[in-house]
Amino acid sequence: MSAPSRNLSTGPAIADPRDRLIVGLDVPTLKDAEAMVAMLGDTVSFYKIGYQLVFAGGLSFAKDLAASGKSIFLDMKLHDIDNTVAKGVENIAQMGMTMLTVHAYPKVMRAAVDAAKGSGLCILGVTVLTSMDEADTKEAGYALSPADLVSRRAQQAVDAGMGGIVCSPAEAEAVRAIVGPDMALVTPGIRPLGADAGDQKRITTPADAIRAGSSHLVVARPIIKADDPKATASAIIAEIAAANRQH
């Protein structure tokens, strides 16, 4: 019997709601990162490591976390000539990372996808940063609105064979319609009700992002700056689970 069809907005099936929350370890030192991981314990299974921690020795830490059984989203936003991107991806694929970001330019995406073949590393295309609005994209020289630019890059990511997309939750529903049900759709800019928006301009709640088609939610400051990070992470996971059940 054939499998039941699923609404495109639901995204890929992920059994454990913990695996849909990616906690951003946006902290200044390895000591801070180690303390946060220890505090969160088994509540969190997936971490994002970006520039701030990478430049404080975070690559070795990322490798160790992966070896311990955690999933790691290495947020490096690679953008360079084809050969440089490919050689970087080849080395990152050997580190046991789960996800890696590159900027969603067609040549960059094609080079990264080719280099990651056979490794299991999911290459994500960063469309438009969630800190940018229409004034910012115009200042950068783009005639398209953020939403239109995201849509164009999403289709280019599909054409390049990418594993997923990074976009604002505000564009998640439109992007899911473009990429179909199976690609990862990773959305930063997630803010639980009552949380400070900070420098993010295109944000939404965890439940709304899941309902819009996000497969993974990246949450950093609302968790790592919380009085009780573990309780905050648990509440977000519960909200994700509730949103899943509504589909």
Side-chain angles (χ1 to χ4, degrees), residues 113-181:
V113 168
D114 286 344
K117 280 180 180 175
S119 69
L121 176 65
C122 178
I123 306 294
L124 303 172
V126 177
T127 52
V128 178
L129 298 175
T130 53
S131 62
M132 298 179 72
D133 57 18
E134 189 157 4
D136 297 315
T137 55
K138 282 184 176 179
E139 185 180 24
Y142 293 102
L144 297 176
S145 69
D148 289 341
L149 185 55
V150 167
S151 294
R152 174 177 289 186
R153 288 180 169 173
Q155 184 57 59
Q156 290 169 333
V158 173
D159 296 341
M162 295 282 282
I165 288 288
V166 180
C167 69
S168 158
E171 289 105 32
E173 186 172 4
V175 170
R176 179 58 70 195
I178 293 168
V179 304

Side-chain angles (χ1 to χ4, degrees), residues 14-99:
I14 300 172
D16 189 340
R18 290 189 316 151
D19 295 335
R20 302 185 77 156
L21 172 64
I22 304 176
V23 174
L25 289 175
D26 298 340
V27 294
T29 69
L30 283 179
K31 184 176 180 180
D32 292 328
E34 290 165 352
M36 183 57 59
V37 170
M39 184 184 304
L40 293 171
D42 292 336
T43 300
V44 172
S45 64
F46 212 146
Y47 288 98
K48 177 184 78 74
I49 293 179
Y51 291 147
Q52 183 179 21
L53 194 57
V54 161
F55 296 138
L59 285 179
S60 294
F61 181 65
K63 194 173 180 179
D64 291 343
L65 269 185
S68 76
K70 300 294 186 183
S71 297
I72 305 298
F73 167 18
L74 194 60
D75 189 18
M76 297 305 296
K77 300 183 182 71
L78 301 182
H79 184 192
D80 214 309
I81 64 171
D82 297 6
N83 184 67
T84 300
V85 168
K87 295 306 180 185
V89 170
E90 287 172 3
N91 280 345
I92 290 167
Q94 296 176 32
M95 294 172 58
M97 303 294 97
T98 302
M99 292 176 168

